[in-house]
Amino acid sequence: MSPEEKAGIEVSGKTPKEQALANLAAAIDASKEFPQNIFSHSWHGFLFFDPDRIFNPKFERQVRALLEIEGSSCACLVNLDRPLVGDSQDAGVFCFEKEAAEGDYKQALAGPTPGAGLGDGLERFGCASNGGQWVIYCEQQDELAVIAFRNHAFMNKFNSVMVELGALPIQEVLQKPGWSSNPAWHKELVGEYVNRSQIGVDVTPRN
């Protein structure tokens, strides 16, 4: 059984890249922003982390690890604030291929000129794989990213990568210094995500 079938995703002749983009479109309501829950109701487990982790060359290796664990072959990172007119980097899309050589993502982050790299603007991004077991959303303006899972079993499979990302339940993230400037916003964020979350993943670092 394919990763898509395990996740309950209907596949109809799409390439892995097309399936990843379709999974992202189905998972996220791009008309919403934090503190709202931007995910569709098929997502129930949420862990939060610093979006700077996404715009670091190490993220390429971490996405490849997610693909390897999931048994998928492609994941696409999409700028949600730009119209999606294709699947090229010029359209605000970068696709991670499990079998591709490393280094392309570092070049995309650098961009053709200073300030023109992927993630240089304060924009919103989403990332999903063709397997459809996880999806990432981030808002650079609010300095927050979240990874969602379909269920507990999927969450625990990806523990090692969650440790690398520093991904934690929202209650733990908001206890860190610098997260007390807007209590009402935080209360709404917790209400939106904790009520639908089934956090039970062990994110203890492994030696």
Side-chain angles (χ1 to χ4, degrees):
M1 183 179 291
S2 71
E4 295 91 338
E5 292 169 326
K6 290 178 182 178
I9 295 170
E10 182 178 350
V11 181
S12 55
K14 293 183 174 70
T15 67
K17 187 178 295 185
E18 290 170 340
Q19 188 64 55
L21 292 171
N23 290 346
L24 181 62
I28 289 178
D29 182 348
S31 69
K32 295 182 178 180
E33 297 183 7
F34 290 142
Q36 295 175 295
N37 192 317
I38 55 82
F39 295 102
S40 67
H41 288 285
S42 58
W43 302 90
H44 303 286
F46 311 106
L47 296 174
F48 292 77
F49 60 100
D50 188 335
D52 287 347
R53 300 291 183 103
I54 295 174
F55 304 103
N56 184 306
K58 294 180 181 179
F59 187 64
E60 181 174 20
R61 176 176 53 79
Q62 291 158 348
V63 171
R64 288 173 185 271
L66 290 173
L67 294 176
E68 182 66 31
I69 295 168
E70 186 180 30
S72 297
S73 59
C74 177
C76 292
L77 178 68
V78 178
N79 185 325
L80 300 174
D81 291 326
R82 299 184 193 178
L84 184 58
V85 295
D87 59 0
S88 68
Q89 293 178 29
D90 292 338
V93 178
F94 183 90
C95 290
F96 303 89
E97 305 281 355
K98 188 172 71 171
E99 303 300 331
E102 291 189 20
D104 288 346
Y105 188 56
K106 184 176 182 179
Q107 293 179 15
L109 291 174
T113 58
L118 187 70
D120 279 341
L122 295 178
E123 297 171 306
R124 301 176 304 145
F125 283 80
C127 184
S129 70
N130 63 302
Q133 296 183 16
W134 56 270
V135 62
I136 291 172
Y137 171 79
C138 87
E139 291 182 16
Q140 293 174 293
Q141 182 72 44
D142 287 319
E143 299 181 349
L144 190 63
V146 57
I147 182 167
F149 303 89
R150 292 209 178 261
N151 59 41
H152 255 200
F154 292 155
M155 291 175 70
N156 286 302
K157 282 169 46 177
F158 300 119
N159 176 69
S160 60
V161 185
M162 296 306 97
V163 171
E164 285 195 39
L165 289 173
L168 297 167
I170 189 59
Q171 301 97 316
E172 295 183 35
V173 172
L174 296 181
Q175 290 174 0
K176 294 185 175 183
W179 280 99
S180 59
S181 59
N182 192 338
W185 190 89
H186 297 156
K187 182 178 180 180
E188 184 176 353
L189 185 72
V190 170
E192 286 279 334
Y193 284 89
V194 172
N195 290 342
R196 275 177 50 193
S197 185
Q198 301 173 10
I199 296 298
V201 65
D202 178 7
V203 291
T204 305
R206 301 288 187 251
N207 294 326

